[in-house]
């Protein structure tokens, strides 16, 4: 057993940190204020390989492992949540689902351009009337010969208005509960497919969040991901990867809160001494350090399990639940340490709090993760093997060119 | 064409203020080290030369194991390979000995058409190594290079940045050039290149491999030694607010202050 990152991970961490420092941080206050998604930053990310970080080289990716996916998420969200969210939906929720469940033709057609960063992808599960309760979705897919006709609406979809490719879920058999859901790959330009942006979010304001409307969209049968009725399993397995990136990103928020609180506490003087010397301030710093280490260990344990090909639904859920709550609590304390300055957008910490709140809601609310953990502990929930598992990381196989 | 970029690992500039003169004198700074920021421009230009005129770009550095990290960064940016020169005897070499070691390293690697260096290092601040290498190799030296205009017919034409303008000069190859930051914008490494660079094997050459007599290098052979180092005093800033009822009164008081107190007028 060992607990260190290898050279590749360290180099990647340094480069992504530098990227966040130089490309994201100088612009973020304005992007956040104006609710603007910065396409230029996305294009640079695409060029460097962010969008295919852990996808095998033969599918157009960088051929790194799942730990690298975590590092990219962590250090991007150290910059801002918006850009980590891009990784969560494009890489983890969409691309990895295709890697896991797609046919070879589907991987060539959808995954390759996504991993190369030529096409942007999103994940449409949530609907206006169905969030946590996925089974209750209303979107319908009706088979007519070689096509499915899709109707329905998806809401709160990250990158909805930016994406070229959409992984959406709809019911093929409304009577069959979660076994009646299927997954489909859609692309912009299909007749009847419309998207829009939702404005007025509390946080993640530099991200694009929107809705997808499907009105009699004709989707060829070969665009169905997995078997008919396998959609729920596909969605849940995709969330195992998405939640991992959310946990890693939250770790980046805690890291930023701690670093900025330390710097501020050392230079802010009250009652004749730097506030860092007061034990009540030290308590908050210590809390953040504790959370950073716990979140890091939980997150990268899940990443390590993915590398090994071990089922990690429980461990990922725990990491996501813990790290996102810990990020919110850390941002709250970071503001406290910054006093009135922390309450204004002159400093980053108020943005961290607004951003961190989103992450305790999406990809499973804290309540849903609490219930999951209890069900595992009590033995009420046991994960069964899937027809297609996420492939374990194999350095040689992943670096093999096409 | 072959290009060799000589680079150094130096303290992260963000951490430079933490270093005490005592630590700097001992050469044991105890902070995070990265590629000398000036050298990033040299690496970038070395890669661009390869892209423009074809050939191979090699990164080279003198230093212990930890220097591999900076060399791997150079490979991640786009250098084809890297070479490290190290021997206990090299420790505490001055600029002149450093130039000798690098010149021997360049010869060992089969020579180069163009050797690139940064303008100076952020720790030593001497900017003397490029001169030394050119001297030892007996080739052209071009410093303060802000643009490489043309390479061909055994010649290189560059623009040099001067205090009051630019000059364009041509020199025969091989040449050693030291570049300034105006020359380019260093690229980020791609993830694919990071993966490859992290797995790169970097060969190391010792004094014996390079045919260097240990007496020629290291502390004992140094012609320049640091006898004292002082940190500049932190700049003191003071704010004076000139009070007055009318703009005219404020202006008069300001003028008096500048003449009588600060004596700047
Ligand atoms: C910024 C942002 C980006 C998003 N991006 C995406 C995306 O890209 N793709 C996508 O598909 N979705 C996305 N979502 C949607 C997100 O996944 C949902 O908001 C989330 O699943 C919760 O669903 P809901 O909002 O409908 O809340 P609800 O499910 O209505 O929950 C409301 C409250 O009830 C609680 N609750 C619900 N059921 C139970 C229960 N059984 N026991 C106890 N408490 C319960 C919840 O914990 C919550 O507190 C995004 C959301 C946000 C805010
Ligand atoms: C919306 C808003 C409205 C305001 N309105 C007014 C107003 O109308 N009039 C006015 O005069 N002011 C106003 N303020 C200022 C407010 O009263 C100050 O922000 C507050 O007193 C804290 O001071 P500070 O921000 O300088 O933080 P600091 O005093 O610098 O404190 C920073 C951190 O250090 C901690 N700390 C400081 N000393 C100690 C110690 N000895 N031991 C342990 N911890 C310590 C603090 O608890 C805090 O966490 C307002 C502030 C806000 C945010």
């Amino acid at each position: 057993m060992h607990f260190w990152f290898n050279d590749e991970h360290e180099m990647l961490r340094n480069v992504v940190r530098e990227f966040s420092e130089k490309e994201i941080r100088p612009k973020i206050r304005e992007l956040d204020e104006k609710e603007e998604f910065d396409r230029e930053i996305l294009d640079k990310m695409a060029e460097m390989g962010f969008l295919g970080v852990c996808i095998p080289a033969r599918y157009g990716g960088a051929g790194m492992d799942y730990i690298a996916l975590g590092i990219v998420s962590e250090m991007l969200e150290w910059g801002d949540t918006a850009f980590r969210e891009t990784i969560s939906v494009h890489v983890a929720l969409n691309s990895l689902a295709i890697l896991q469940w797609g046919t070879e033709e589907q991987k060539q057609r959808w995954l390759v351009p996504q991993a190369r960063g030529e096409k942007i992808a999103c994940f449409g599960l949530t609907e206006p009337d169905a969030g946590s309760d996925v089974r209750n979705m209303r979107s319908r897919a009706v088979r007519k010969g070689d096509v499915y006709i899709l109707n329905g609406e998806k809401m709160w979809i990250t990158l909805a208005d930016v994406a070229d490719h959409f992984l959406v879920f709809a019911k093929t058999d409304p009577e069959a509960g979660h076994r009646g859901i299927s997954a489909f790959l859609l692309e912009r330009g299909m007749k009847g497919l419309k998207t829009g942006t939702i404005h007025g979010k509390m946080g993640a304001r530099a991200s694009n969040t929107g809705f997808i409307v499907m009105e009699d969209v004709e989707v060829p049968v070969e665009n169905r991901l997995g078997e008919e009725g396998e959609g729920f399993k596909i969605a849940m397995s995709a969330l195992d990867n998405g939640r991992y990136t959310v946990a890693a990103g939250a770790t980046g928020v805690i890291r930023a809160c701690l670093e900025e609180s330390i710097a501020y506490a050392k230079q802010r003087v009250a009652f004749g001494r730097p506030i860092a010397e007061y034990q009540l301030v030290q308590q908050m710093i210590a809390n953040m350090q504790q959370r950073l280490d716990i979140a890091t260990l939980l997150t990268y344990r899940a990443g390590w399990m993915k590398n090994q090909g071990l089922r990690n639904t429980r461990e990922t859920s725990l990491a996501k639940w813990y790290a996102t709550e810990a990020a919110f609590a850390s941002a709250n304390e970071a503001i406290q340490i910054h006093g009135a300055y922390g309450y204004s957008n002159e400093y980053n910490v108020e943005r961290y709090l607004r951003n961190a709140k989103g992450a305790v809601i999406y990809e499973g609310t804290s309540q849903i993760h609490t219930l999951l953990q209890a069900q595992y502990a009590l033995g009420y929930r046991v994960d069964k093997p899937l027809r297609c598992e996420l492939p374990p990381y194999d350095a040689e196989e992943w670096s093999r060119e096409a | 064409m072959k290009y060799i970029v000589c680079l150094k690992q130096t303290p992260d500039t963000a951490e430079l203020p933490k270093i005490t003169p005592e630590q700097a004198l001992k050469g044991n700074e105890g902070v995070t080290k990265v590629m000398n920021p000036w050298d990033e421009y040299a690496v970038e230009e070395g890669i661009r030369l390869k892209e423009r005129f074809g050939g191979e770009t090699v990164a080279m550095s003198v230093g212990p194991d930890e220097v591999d990290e900076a060399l791997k960064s150079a490979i991640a940016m786009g250098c084809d390979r890297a070479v490290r020169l190290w021997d206990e005897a090299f420790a505490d070499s001055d600029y002149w000995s450093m130039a000798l070691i690098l010149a021997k390293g360049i010869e060992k690697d089969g020579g180069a058409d163009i050797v690139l260096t940064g303008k100076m290092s952020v720790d030593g601040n001497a900017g003397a190594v490029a001169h030394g290498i050119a001297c030892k190799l007996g080739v052209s030296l071009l410093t303060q290079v802000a643009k490489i205009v043309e390479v061909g017919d055994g010649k290189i034409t560059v623009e040099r940045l001067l205090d009051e303008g630019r000059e364009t000069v041509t020199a025969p190859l091989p040449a050693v050039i030291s570049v300034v930051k105006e020359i380019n914008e260093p690229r980020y490494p791609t993830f694919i290149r990071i993966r490859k660079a992290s797995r790169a094997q970097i060969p190391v050459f010792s004094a014996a491999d390079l045919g260097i007599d240990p007496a020629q290098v290291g502390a004992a052979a140094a012609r320049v030694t640091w006898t004292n180092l002082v940190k500049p005093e932190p700049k003191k800033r003071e704010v004076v607010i000139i009070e007055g009822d009318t703009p005219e009164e404020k202006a008069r008081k300001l003028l008096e202050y500048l003449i009588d107190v600060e004596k700047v007028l």
Side-chain angles (χ1 to χ4, degrees):
Chain A
M1 191 174 212
H2 72 67
F3 286 97
W4 51 82
F5 295 107
N6 63 27
D7 280 1
E8 180 179 316
H9 298 142
E10 296 291 358
M11 277 177 90
L12 181 69
R13 175 180 292 275
N14 290 338
V15 168
V16 180
R17 187 181 174 114
E18 188 187 338
F19 182 86
S20 287
E21 178 96 57
K22 289 191 182 155
E23 309 295 333
I24 299 177
R25 287 195 163 195
K27 284 188 181 174
I28 193 61
R29 191 167 124 186
E30 198 186 333
L31 294 174
D32 180 79
E33 216 165 76
K34 294 189 177 158
E35 278 195 294
E36 239 173 64
F37 180 80
D38 192 308
R39 186 74 206 204
E40 217 177 284
I41 296 178
L42 179 68
D43 289 344
K44 283 185 186 168
M45 285 167 61
E47 215 173 286
M48 285 171 70
F50 277 90
L51 302 185
V53 51
C54 58
I55 305 297
R58 71 178 188 284
Y59 294 126
M64 290 182 170
D65 65 0
Y66 300 107
I67 298 282
L69 173 64
I71 290 170
V72 163
S73 304
E74 180 187 339
M75 294 322 294
L76 272 180
E77 191 150 3
W78 177 87
D80 189 69
T81 300
F83 303 93
R84 190 275 303 152
E85 282 190 0
T86 296
I87 296 298
S88 293
V89 299
H90 177 95
V91 179
L93 289 167
N94 186 310
S95 300
L96 284 178
I98 298 174
L99 182 71
Q100 179 169 357
W101 297 90
T103 61
E104 187 56 30
E105 291 74 45
Q106 286 172 334
K107 287 175 191 168
Q108 295 300 336
R109 161 99 167 75
W110 305 90
L111 180 57
V112 170
Q114 288 175 198
R116 288 192 185 138
E118 295 159 1
K119 298 283 180 192
I120 303 302
C122 74
F123 179 86
L125 181 65
T126 307
E127 299 188 353
D129 296 316
S132 308
D133 188 6
V134 172
R135 277 153 245 244
N136 198 32
M137 72 170 56
R138 297 205 180 145
S139 291
R140 283 280 280 135
V142 179
R143 179 144 183 185
K144 288 231 168 80
D146 289 343
V147 298
Y148 286 92
I149 310 295
L150 266 68
N151 277 287
E153 191 181 340
K154 297 292 173 182
M155 179 113 173
W156 303 115
I157 307 307
T158 303
L159 298 187
D161 234 4
V162 172
D164 308 295
H165 291 172
F166 306 79
L167 170 55
V168 298
F169 299 83
K171 282 195 171 158
T172 36
D173 182 357
E175 309 306 315
H178 70 275
R179 288 194 181 82
I181 299 171
S182 302
F184 300 92
L185 299 165
L186 275 57
E187 66 186 318
R188 191 172 294 282
M190 283 180 163
K191 202 161 163 278
L193 176 72
K194 289 191 212 98
T195 63
T197 295
I198 299 171
H199 290 288
K201 295 199 304 290
M202 171 185 182
R205 289 166 60 86
S207 175
N208 175 263
T209 313
F211 54 86
I212 304 171
V213 179
M214 298 174 286
E215 281 168 0
D216 293 327
V217 181
E218 273 190 28
V219 181
V221 173
E222 62 262 27
N223 288 24
R224 192 191 64 225
L225 187 65
E227 305 288 331
E228 213 171 83
E230 239 174 12
F232 186 78
K233 284 184 179 153
I234 294 173
M236 293 305 128
S237 71
L239 285 167
D240 281 353
N241 300 322
R243 287 166 179 172
Y244 168 62
T245 59
V246 175
T251 306
V253 173
I254 305 170
R255 185 181 293 284
C257 288
L258 179 60
E259 286 174 3
E260 286 162 49
S261 296
I262 290 171
Y264 188 81
K266 281 186 174 171
Q267 57 96 17
R268 176 70 173 180
V269 175
F271 305 102
R273 286 200 271 157
I275 60 168
E277 292 180 21
Y278 297 119
Q279 289 185 346
L280 291 174
V281 171
Q282 291 180 359
Q283 172 74 73
M284 294 189 268
I285 300 280
N287 289 344
M288 288 184 217
Q289 183 67 61
Q290 182 193 46
R291 294 185 197 115
L292 177 59
D293 280 26
I294 298 173
T296 303
L297 289 167
L298 289 178
T299 298
Y300 291 103
R301 171 176 70 168
W304 176 84
M305 291 178 80
K306 289 178 199 296
N307 274 354
Q308 306 302 313
L310 300 170
R311 185 65 177 270
N312 54 84
T313 306
R314 185 189 78 81
E315 290 80 1
T316 298
S317 150
L318 186 65
K320 192 274 176 185
W321 174 32
Y322 177 80
T324 55
E325 290 286 353
F328 185 72
S330 299
N332 192 24
E333 287 184 342
I335 293 176
Q336 194 63 20
I337 288 175
H338 283 70
Y341 292 100
Y343 192 67
S344 90
N345 71 357
E346 193 182 331
Y347 284 85
N348 287 321
V349 289
E350 63 84 31
R351 197 181 78 249
Y352 297 157
L353 186 81
R354 291 187 285 106
N355 284 348
K357 187 64 202 177
V360 299
I361 296 171
Y362 52 67
E363 305 229 21
T365 64
S366 288
Q367 288 70 33
I368 295 299
H369 289 293
T370 306
L371 297 176
L372 275 175
Q373 292 304 317
Q375 287 167 6
Y376 279 115
L378 291 163
Y380 298 163
R381 170 181 285 265
V382 179
D383 293 321
K384 293 187 205 84
L386 298 168
R387 185 176 65 80
C388 301
E389 300 281 1
L390 182 73
Y393 180 68
D394 175 338
E396 213 162 293
E397 179 62 20
W398 253 243
S399 32
R400 193 162 61 80
E401 311 278 334
Chain B
M1 295 293 269
K2 183 168 158 199
Y3 320 98
I4 294 185
V5 187
C6 299
L7 59 95
K8 184 177 183 183
Q9 203 176 33
T10 55
D12 190 334
T13 42
E15 298 191 33
L16 272 179
K18 288 191 206 160
I19 302 168
T20 63
E22 294 71 32
Q23 285 174 315
L25 274 173
K26 280 201 209 114
N28 177 19
E29 295 97 345
V31 293
T32 316
K33 290 196 169 181
V34 297
M35 188 193 301
N36 173 34
W38 297 101
D39 296 344
E40 285 186 21
Y41 300 95
V43 171
E44 175 65 32
E45 202 57 28
I47 299 163
R48 289 191 189 187
L49 278 172
K50 179 179 76 163
E51 289 165 353
R52 282 170 72 188
F53 305 107
E56 186 190 28
T57 304
V58 181
M60 185 176 283
S61 186
V62 180
D65 289 4
E66 60 179 39
V67 172
D68 277 353
E69 219 175 282
L71 288 171
K72 284 181 178 177
S73 298
I75 297 177
M77 283 174 71
C79 289
D80 297 289
R81 57 188 175 84
V83 175
R84 184 160 64 84
L85 315 173
W86 187 240
D87 198 299
E88 286 303 321
F90 296 168
D92 301 320
S93 290
D94 68 355
Y95 315 116
W96 189 239
S97 302
M98 216 35 108
L100 172 74
I101 299 165
L102 285 164
K104 291 285 188 187
I106 291 162
E107 282 169 0
K108 173 84 185 170
D109 202 68
D113 299 289
I114 300 173
V115 174
L116 300 102
T117 74
K119 173 184 166 175
M120 60 171 142
S121 59
V122 294
D123 52 355
N125 287 302
V129 171
H131 304 69
I133 299 171
C135 217
K136 296 282 184 191
L137 290 174
V139 302
S140 321
L141 170 69
L142 297 164
T143 58
Q144 298 283 112
V145 173
K147 186 177 179 184
I148 295 180
V149 182
E150 191 52 70
V151 174
D153 295 334
K155 283 179 297 195
I156 179 168
T157 303
V158 303
E159 274 180 31
R160 297 184 64 232
L161 195 67
L162 309 177
D163 282 345
E164 271 137 20
R166 287 180 180 228
E167 67 174 18
T168 304
V169 293
T170 301
L173 293 177
V176 175
I177 70 169
S178 78
V179 305
V180 291
K181 69 177 189 332
E182 287 74 10
I183 195 165
N184 58 42
E185 179 66 47
R187 72 192 66 189
Y188 289 106
T190 65
F191 289 8
I192 290 180
R193 292 208 62 97
I194 290 175
R195 172 164 59 74
K196 291 183 175 164
S198 69
R199 294 167 198 183
Q201 291 295 323
I202 298 176
V204 187
F205 296 107
S206 66
D209 297 330
L210 300 174
I212 295 174
D213 172 3
Q216 286 177 286
V217 292
R223 296 171 185 218
V224 180
T225 50
W226 284 355
T227 49
N228 190 20
L229 268 182
V230 283
K231 273 204 163 183
E233 285 286 312
K235 283 201 185 103
K236 289 211 180 77
R237 288 197 182 84
E238 200 186 341
V239 177
V240 178
I241 295 171
I242 308 284
E243 308 276 3
D245 293 334
T246 60
E248 288 75 14
E249 190 190 341
K250 284 185 194 170
R252 187 177 45 75
K253 284 190 174 172
L254 174 63
L255 200 60
E256 283 168 9
Y257 181 84
L258 292 173
I259 294 169
D260 300 337
V261 186
E262 293 292 333
K263 302 195 192 322
V264 291
L265 291 177

